[in-house]
Amino acid sequence: MTKNKNLKLVICQCFTNRALCYINLNRFIEALSDADFVISKLDDSNVRAYHRRGISHMRIDNFEDALRDLHKVKELDPAYSNIEKDIRECMSKYD
């Protein structure tokens, strides 16, 4: 792995980890911002970033955006932990 690729990976991990911390602190706007930064600027196939953005959208009642991101997680990694449960939870709140 080249130095730049490794650095990009570490930055992605930092931002997705911080997004998870923000989620745990109920700071969903900040979590959205960190996850969106990873997706839009660093890695548009980062499963954790999509998951954390989807969960954050769900927590602030943006159910359509949440479902879009959660379905993207399932598309990128069908075996991602608890993704089916998260999609069902979001759909039940959306109805």
Side-chain angles (χ1 to χ4, degrees), residues 66-78:
L67 282 171
R68 182 194 66 233
D69 284 341
L70 295 173
H71 282 293
K72 183 70 173 181
V73 171
K74 187 175 176 182
E75 172 190 321
L76 293 170
D77 183 0

Side-chain angles (χ1 to χ4, degrees), residues 12-29:
C12 285
Q13 290 171 338
C14 289
F15 275 87
T16 56
N17 286 345
R18 188 169 71 172
L20 180 59
C21 292
Y22 282 141
I23 289 168
N24 289 332
L25 294 169
N26 296 321
R27 294 172 58 182
F28 305 115
I29 301 301

Side-chain angles (χ1 to χ4, degrees), residues 73-88:
V73 171
K74 187 175 176 182
E75 172 190 321
L76 293 170
D77 183 0
Y80 193 80
S81 178
N82 293 321
I83 192 60
E84 291 292 339
K85 179 183 89 43
D86 293 335
I87 290 171
R88 281 192 308 274

